[in-house]
């Protein structure tokens, strides 16, 4: 079960809350990017970044010079998928179908070499499954320039909306189209780097990758 704290307890639309950790994992594992919210010099900052999950730990990475990753305070990480626009009979009741996760905590800097490599592998595989084994692994110089932080998934919440619009009873008779416009993501055809120096076929894990978001 997910944690219940003052920060993860839903105050509005409580029926959209999910309490299973499997729901949390599903939202995170389907994503490509998260948003890291931090406070830097007293001002809020939200940074889009790649991530990876290993068990109940979320890993983020960036340059060792990144101010957002150097802080020691509390952070908030969010991942959201928009599955459709919900068009109602009234403007007030328009909405979106979505899946979202929010994680709170105090990240720790990962210093153990084995954990750093496992984290970077998870981050790479989150963005491009199969690529860690296909590409060159990081050099010591590259690893020295990379900061990796770990955030526990202990304090997290999940919120999901699905289905048609919810209109006021008196509005159902209005001659206004209502329903859902689904949103689906798909990959385009792979575009080979023009700087390739030899003929290399597009690998299977790239050409046959399933659509993102599910």
């Amino acid at each position: 079960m997910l944690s219940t704290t003052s920060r993860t307890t839903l105050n509005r639309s409580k029926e959209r809350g999910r309490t299973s950790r499997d729901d949390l994992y599903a939202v995170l594992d389907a994503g490509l990017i998260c948003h890291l919210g931090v406070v830097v010099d007293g001002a809020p900052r939200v940074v889009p970044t790649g991530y990876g999950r290993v068990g109940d730990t979320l890993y983020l990475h960036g340059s060792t010079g990144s101010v957002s990753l150097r802080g020691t305070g509390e952070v908030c990480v969010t991942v959201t998928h928009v599955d459709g626009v919900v068009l109602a009979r009234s403007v007030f009741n328009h909405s979106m179908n979505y899946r979202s996760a929010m994680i709170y905590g105090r990240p720790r800097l990962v210093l153990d070499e084995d954990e750093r490599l496992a984290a970077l592998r998870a981050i790479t595989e989150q963005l491009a499954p199969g690529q860690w084994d296909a590409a060159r692994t990081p050099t010591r110089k590259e690893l020295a320039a990379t900061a990796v932080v770990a955030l526990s998934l202990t304090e997290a919440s999940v919120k999901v909306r699905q289905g048609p619009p919810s209109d006021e009873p008196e509005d159902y008779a209005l001659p206004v189209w209502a329903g859902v416009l689904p949103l689906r993501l798909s990959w385009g055809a792979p575009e080979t780097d023009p700087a390739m120096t030899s003929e290399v076929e597009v690998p299977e894990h790239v050409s046959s990758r399933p659509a993102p978001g599910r």
Side-chain angles (χ1 to χ4, degrees):
M1 297 287 288
L2 294 178
S3 57
T4 302
T5 69
S6 60
R7 296 191 292 193
T8 61
T9 300
L10 300 182
N11 294 314
R12 296 183 65 254
S13 302
K14 293 183 179 181
E15 74 281 359
R16 299 180 185 177
R18 298 291 186 270
T19 60
S20 169
R21 300 201 70 80
D22 288 340
D23 290 322
L24 173 64
Y25 300 154
V27 172
L28 296 179
D29 294 350
L32 295 174
I33 192 170
C34 71
H35 287 84
L36 168 66
V38 298
V39 175
V40 178
D41 297 330
R45 180 178 300 186
V46 178
V47 183
T49 185
Y51 68 92
R53 180 181 72 87
V54 178
D56 270 334
T57 301
L58 196 72
Y59 290 101
L60 311 172
H61 82 304
S63 167
T64 52
S66 171
V67 176
S68 301
L69 294 180
R70 288 208 307 262
T72 57
E74 294 279 330
V75 303
C76 177
V77 173
T78 62
V79 174
T80 302
H81 308 283
V82 177
D83 297 321
V85 176
V86 180
L87 297 98
R89 294 161 182 83
S90 69
V91 173
F92 181 81
N93 285 320
H94 279 58
S95 186
M96 288 182 290
N97 283 341
Y98 63 88
R99 293 160 288 143
S100 66
M102 183 174 290
I103 303 102
Y104 294 97
R106 189 181 298 270
R108 62 177 173 85
L109 184 63
V110 179
L111 300 176
D112 179 80
E113 185 173 343
D114 290 339
E115 186 182 6
R116 276 167 54 82
L117 284 173
L120 292 172
R121 181 184 184 112
I123 293 168
T124 301
E125 291 295 297
Q126 181 79 23
L127 186 64
Q131 196 64 13
W132 182 268
D133 292 329
R136 175 181 64 78
T137 52
T139 64
R140 287 191 173 276
K141 181 179 180 180
E142 291 167 340
L143 288 173
T146 304
V148 178
V149 298
L151 180 63
S152 170
L153 297 178
T154 299
E155 188 178 6
S157 66
V158 175
K159 200 172 181 180
V160 176
R161 189 207 188 278
Q162 298 173 325
S166 297
D167 271 307
E168 306 305 322
E170 62 271 20
D171 288 339
Y172 280 94
L174 292 175
V176 177
W177 187 89
V180 177
L181 183 62
L183 176 62
R184 301 285 186 266
L185 298 180
S186 62
W187 301 110
E191 300 175 359
T192 300
D193 182 358
M196 290 285 293
T197 58
S198 60
E199 292 290 334
V200 179
E201 292 187 3
V202 178
E204 179 76 12
H205 69 271
V206 174
S207 62
S208 299
R209 183 173 179 181
R214 289 290 181 183

